């Protein structure tokens, strides 16, 4: 399973639509991290971003604020989007692996609840 | 929180914005203006956040104070070209820079941003200030004037499938045919494809092929040269030329005459065309997206549409479902149109009542989303505040709603629940050859409960109760 995080200055990038760096983390079947890489994304075009994610084989995207249209398109290609996340990238990743996302301490101000309520009902978190 | 002049008189803090203790008068002014204002310390932590900033960003002041400004503001410029950072680095203020922020609902809010340096009495830099104005109304008006693509609003599975295909389809140069009933948003989808495509910097032009007679359509599409006919006093570029580098949307392609079908086929095959009266072919640098409400296969079968043209345009086909097949989207769409008309008309309709929504949900919408948009627009004429009520809907809709389903929604829900319950119980009984005890165990309920439900649901069961056969 591959997970993408949009990062900036070691933290989750504030707006995914224009984020410039993605960290791609690969997990093995047992959920252990196999490797990670960082890719530069220069293009702001929504279609380009969705295609970059699908070509990278990403199954989960953790990001900051994201426009509804882009989030819809990403979800439509089968990627699980965990939006409106904030904090140090490594801490966020650890929280995800422990199944602790979404969490108030890792959510952008004013966004906890509205965007997370629906996803909370689904089980996710541990990398498979 | 709030603006309390008496607090100023008493020298107390009028609110909790963070600056009141320093200067209550300044605080009161900031609280009363409609522009959003926030200040940061040199580490980019928010130190004050006025009421308009709360309203525009949707972030409460108590949640904003102390947080990094980019996490609260979430502007497209934060990561790469923050105007406040530039101001603090260069000392030059930014004035009316345009940007957008993404709010908690995922909506992009266009803003005009200005910045300034904050200094203490000794001239030492203590942070920065950013003021911003919501440009949503202006942008919405501009979109209406320029016919820009509006948001595609949907959560329905059929639409999700289309949205999932959009990135690949947009990135390609393939000709697309969009099928859908009138008012389903064919042009909206075509515009979305254009805006997502590498040609988005180029123009998007739409032509309704069914609206023009052949000779006019030909000159409209391909243009003409001076002297091509009596009134041709100057060269006139056609839509293929005007859309160069962009996208040409040919609506109602199923209405093209056989002659025009041949001409269009040539452009699509050879990527060249000849303006009327021209002696030389011109290269067509456009991506063509077509749409129709007709069944093209049927027209091909009737020899009314060329098979070769059909295969040429049918490289990618997107079928837009009618609104009656995606009624789950109705609340979302109603909310979208209410927000749009609120912006355009500067009014504050708060939403739609559940009764009015129930009436809409019983309607079949032959005019699809365009009809819904017109219904909401009509409601805005009659409704002057609060929620849209049944009285604000067209009378014909109220009649249809009453005829088609006289029961209130709660009864229908109750019926649906009972029906589902009966089906599950009947299936369990069949599985266990009508053995009530085994079926109850399978359903996870006590057999007494099962008997009670059988009685209430009036389920007809065979005389045999399965005890002898288990």
């Amino acid at each position: 399973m591959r997970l993408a995080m949009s990062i900036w200055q070691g933290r989750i990038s504030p707006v995914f639509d224009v984020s410039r760096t993605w960290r791609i983390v690969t997990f093995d079947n047992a959920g252990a991290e196999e490797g990670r890489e960082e890719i530069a994304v220069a293009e702001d075009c929504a279609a380009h971003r969705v295609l970059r994610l699908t070509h990278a084989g990403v199954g989960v995207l953790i990001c900051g604020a994201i426009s509804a249209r882009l989030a819809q398109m990403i979800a439509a290609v089968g990627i699980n989007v965990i939006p409106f996340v904030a904090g140090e990238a490594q801490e966020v990743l650890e929280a995800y692996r422990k199944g602790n996302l979404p969490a108030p301490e890792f959510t952008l101000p004013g966004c906890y609840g509205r965007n997370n309520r629906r996803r909370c009902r689904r089980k996710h978190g541990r990398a498979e | 929180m709030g603006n309390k002049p008496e607090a100023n008189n008493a020298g107390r803090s009028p609110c909790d914005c963070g600056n009141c203790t320093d200067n209550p008068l300044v605080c009161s002014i900031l609280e009363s203006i409609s522009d959003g204002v926030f200040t940061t310390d040199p580490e980019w932590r928010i130190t004050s956040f006025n009421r308009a900033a709360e309203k525009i960003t949707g972030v409460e002041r108590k949640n904003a104070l102390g947080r990094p400004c980019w996490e609260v503001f979430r502007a497209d410029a934060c990561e790469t070209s923050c105007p406040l950072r530039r101001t603090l680095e260069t000392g030059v203020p930014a004035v009316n820079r345009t940007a957008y922020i993404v709010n908690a609902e995922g909506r992009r809010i266009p803003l005009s941003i200005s910045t300034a340096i904050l200094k203490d009495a000794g001239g030492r830099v203590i942070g920065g200030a950013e003021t911003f104005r919501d440009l949503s109304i202006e942008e919405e008006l501009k979109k209406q004037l320029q016919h820009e693509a509006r948001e595609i609003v949907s959560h329905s599975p059929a639409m999700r499938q289309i949205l999932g295909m959009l990135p690949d389809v947009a990135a390609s140069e393939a000709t697309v045919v969009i099928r859908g009933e009138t008012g389903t948003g064919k042009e909206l989808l075509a515009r979305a494809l254009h805006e997502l495509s590498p040609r988005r910097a180029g123009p998007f032009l739409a032509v309704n092929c069914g609206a023009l007679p052949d000779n006019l359509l030909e000159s409209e599409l391909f243009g003409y040269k001076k002297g091509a006919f009596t009134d041709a006093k100057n060269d006139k570029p056609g839509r293929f030329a005007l859309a160069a580098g962009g996208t040409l949307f040919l609506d109602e392609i199923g209405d093209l005459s056989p002659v025009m079908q041949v001409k269009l086929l040539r452009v699509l095959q050879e990527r060249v065309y000849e303006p009327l009266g021209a002696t030389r072919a011109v290269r067509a640098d456009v991506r063509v997206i077509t749409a129709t409400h007709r069944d093209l296969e049927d027209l091909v079968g009737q020899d009314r549409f060329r098979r070769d043209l059909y295969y040429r345009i049918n490289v990618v086909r997107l079928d837009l479902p009618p609104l009656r097949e995606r009624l789950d989207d109705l609340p979302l769409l109603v909310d979208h149109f209410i927000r749009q008309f609120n912006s355009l008309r500067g009014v504050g309709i708060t939403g739609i009542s559940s009764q009015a929504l129930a009436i809409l949900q019983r309607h079949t919408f032959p005019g699809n989303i365009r009809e819904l948009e017109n219904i909401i627009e009509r409601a805005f004429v009659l409704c002057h505040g609060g929620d849209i009520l049944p009285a604000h809907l067209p009378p014909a809709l109220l009649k249809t709603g009453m005829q088609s389903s006289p029961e209130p929604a709660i009864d229908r829900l109750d019926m649906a629940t009972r029906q589902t319950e009966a089906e599950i119980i009947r299936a369990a009984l069949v599985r266990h050859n009508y053995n009530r005890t085994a079926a109850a165990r399978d359903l996870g309920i006590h057999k007494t409960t099962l008997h009670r439900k059988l009685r209430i649901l009036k389920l007809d069961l065979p005389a045999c109760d399965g005890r002898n056969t288990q």
Side-chain angles (χ1 to χ4, degrees):
Chain A
M1 199 282 286
R2 306 195 91 193
L3 174 146
M5 308 167 87
S6 53
I7 57 168
W8 176 59
Q9 297 185 344
R11 298 174 70 85
I12 299 296
S13 172
V15 181
F16 177 74
D17 302 43
V18 289
S19 58
R20 289 282 171 263
T21 309
W22 297 348
R23 180 173 293 167
I24 311 284
V25 186
T26 309
F27 298 100
D28 65 15
N29 290 336
E33 187 177 325
E34 266 187 342
R36 59 172 69 186
E37 60 178 318
E38 284 189 8
I39 57 174
V41 187
E43 182 68 63
D44 288 345
C45 168
H48 177 90
R49 286 179 175 256
V50 179
L51 293 177
R52 285 290 295 269
L53 287 171
T54 51
H55 291 165
V58 168
V60 176
L61 169 67
I62 297 175
C63 60
I66 180 170
S67 61
R69 185 163 86 162
L70 182 53
Q72 252 184 347
M73 284 169 62
I74 295 171
V77 296
I79 295 172
N80 179 19
V81 184
I82 304 177
F84 296 96
V85 175
E88 292 286 343
Q90 191 54 37
E91 290 176 15
V92 168
L93 185 63
E94 287 307 314
Y96 171 78
R97 293 185 64 184
K98 289 175 185 162
N100 292 340
L101 280 187
E105 64 272 29
F106 291 117
T107 303
L108 288 168
C111 299
Y112 190 71
R114 178 188 288 274
N115 296 291
N116 307 119
R117 209 172 291 130
R118 200 182 315 140
R119 261 186 313 97
C120 281
R121 294 199 204 106
R122 290 208 301 265
K123 281 195 175 176
H124 75 273
R126 184 170 289 279
E128 287 167 7
Chain B
M1 196 174 83
N3 179 16
K4 299 173 185 170
E6 68 276 12
N8 296 348
N9 296 339
R12 287 185 281 112
S13 173
C15 71
D16 57 356
C17 73
N19 274 348
C20 296
T21 47
D22 296 339
N23 197 332
L25 179 63
V26 170
C27 171
S28 294
I29 294 168
L30 287 178
E31 284 299 282
S32 65
I33 62 173
S34 60
D35 283 5
V37 182
F38 70 79
T39 58
T40 69
D41 64 16
E43 277 73 49
W44 311 103
R45 303 266 164 195
I46 302 256
T47 50
S48 72
F49 202 70
N50 78 342
R51 194 181 311 186
E54 285 186 308
K55 192 178 168 199
I56 296 169
T57 61
V59 179
E60 285 183 54
R61 177 160 32 216
K62 65 179 182 195
N63 295 326
L65 293 176
R67 296 289 294 255
C69 58
W70 59 83
E71 288 187 356
V72 177
F73 201 48
R74 307 188 287 261
D76 58 340
C78 288
E79 191 173 320
T80 50
S81 54
C82 170
L84 190 57
R85 185 181 293 270
R86 192 162 296 167
T87 298
L88 289 183
E89 282 169 1
T90 63
V92 181
V95 181
N96 290 334
R97 278 266 316 270
T98 52
Y100 69 81
I101 60 169
V102 179
N103 73 3
E105 293 168 345
R107 271 201 308 127
R108 286 185 178 191
I109 300 174
L111 299 177
S112 164
I113 296 174
S114 300
T115 59
I117 294 179
L118 283 181
K119 292 180 181 174
D120 65 11
R124 193 172 57 94
V125 175
I126 55 167
E130 189 156 313
T131 63
F132 48 99
R133 180 176 304 149
D134 186 348
L135 299 178
S136 297
I137 296 171
E138 288 90 331
E139 286 296 311
E140 191 64 46
L141 284 167
K142 205 190 292 174
K143 275 186 186 178
Q144 294 283 322
L145 288 171
Q146 296 174 349
H147 303 289
E148 274 184 24
R150 283 171 282 164
E151 217 176 324
I152 295 175
V153 179
S154 181
H155 283 152
S156 81
M159 287 301 291
R160 273 175 72 96
Q161 198 184 356
I162 291 173
L163 287 171
M165 290 169 70
L166 278 192
D168 283 313
V169 177
S172 78
E173 281 283 301
T175 309
V176 178
V177 60
I178 302 170
R179 280 267 310 275
E181 291 178 10
T182 180
T184 45
K186 296 188 285 289
E187 185 170 340
L188 187 68
L189 186 63
R191 284 181 189 276
L193 276 172
H194 169 71
E195 285 188 3
L196 292 168
S197 77
R199 291 178 169 270
R200 65 187 176 283
F204 175 94
L205 294 182
V207 180
N208 188 330
C209 301
L212 298 169
D214 260 18
N215 52 347
L216 272 181
L217 183 62
E218 187 177 357
S219 65
E220 192 63 34
L221 287 179
F222 306 123
Y224 54 77
K225 289 288 181 188
K226 182 180 173 183
F229 46 87
T230 314
D231 288 331
K233 295 191 171 65
N234 291 303
D235 286 1
K236 182 199 174 221
R239 298 294 177 109
F240 271 97
L242 294 170
T247 304
L248 183 60
F249 175 59
L250 301 177
D251 201 1
E252 299 308 349
I253 189 96
D255 293 350
L256 275 184
S257 73
V259 176
M260 282 307 295
Q261 287 180 31
V262 176
K263 293 188 178 188
L264 181 62
L265 179 65
R266 185 182 173 221
V267 186
L268 295 178
Q269 271 180 341
E270 297 168 26
R271 313 302 297 178
V272 292
Y273 65 94
E274 277 160 24
L276 278 167
T279 53
R280 197 173 291 177
V282 180
R283 180 149 189 81
D285 175 24
V286 296
R287 194 221 182 143
V288 175
I289 298 177
T290 64
T292 181
H293 71 282
R294 294 180 186 274
D295 185 343
L296 286 182
E297 290 92 335
D298 195 35
L299 292 179
V300 170
Q302 295 173 31
D303 286 335
R304 289 168 57 197
F305 199 83
R306 293 182 67 95
R307 189 174 294 276
D308 42 9
L309 177 59
Y310 169 71
Y311 287 119
R312 179 60 65 179
I313 62 172
N314 199 26
V315 180
V316 178
R317 185 171 128 181
L318 300 171
D319 285 302
L320 279 172
L323 183 53
R324 65 180 172 279
E325 287 177 17
R326 44 179 284 216
L327 281 177
D328 287 355
D329 282 338
L330 199 65
L332 206 63
L333 287 162
V334 168
D335 184 50
H336 170 76
F337 287 128
I338 289 175
R339 205 169 50 228
Q340 183 180 308
F341 287 121
N342 271 337
S343 283
L344 284 173
R345 303 192 171 185
V347 290
I349 303 296
T350 48
I352 186 165
S353 74
S354 54
Q355 295 93 329
L357 188 61
I359 289 167
L360 289 179
Q361 274 168 331
R362 287 198 285 268
H363 186 50
T364 52
F365 290 99
N368 291 295
I369 298 168
R370 191 179 297 128
E371 183 186 356
L372 175 66
E373 184 178 7
N374 291 344
I375 289 170
I376 301 298
E377 189 172 9
R378 178 189 187 276
F380 265 69
V381 175
L382 302 174
C383 180
H384 302 295
D387 282 353
I388 293 173
L389 302 172
H392 304 130
L393 299 178
L397 212 63
L398 299 176
K399 273 187 208 159
T400 327
M402 282 158 67
Q403 280 163 4
S404 61
S405 184
E407 308 94 336
I410 188 69
D411 280 0
R412 294 197 299 124
L413 180 64
D414 184 43
M415 274 175 64
T417 311
R418 285 165 63 115
Q419 201 173 332
T420 310
E421 205 171 33
E423 279 168 17
I424 291 170
I425 289 173
R426 192 177 283 122
L429 285 164
V430 170
R431 271 200 308 277
H432 295 281
N433 201 21
Y434 296 99
N435 184 319
R436 275 70 156 170
T437 310
R441 198 183 307 124
D442 192 11
L443 291 166
I445 57 175
H446 195 269
K447 61 180 179 183
T448 317
T449 310
L450 177 64
H451 280 286
R452 184 166 48 80
K453 284 187 180 291
L454 288 173
R455 199 170 53 250
I456 293 168
L457 296 169
K458 297 189 176 78
L459 286 175
D460 291 328
L461 299 176
C464 146
D465 67 3
R467 272 178 290 194
N468 301 329
T469 55
Q470 280 286 305

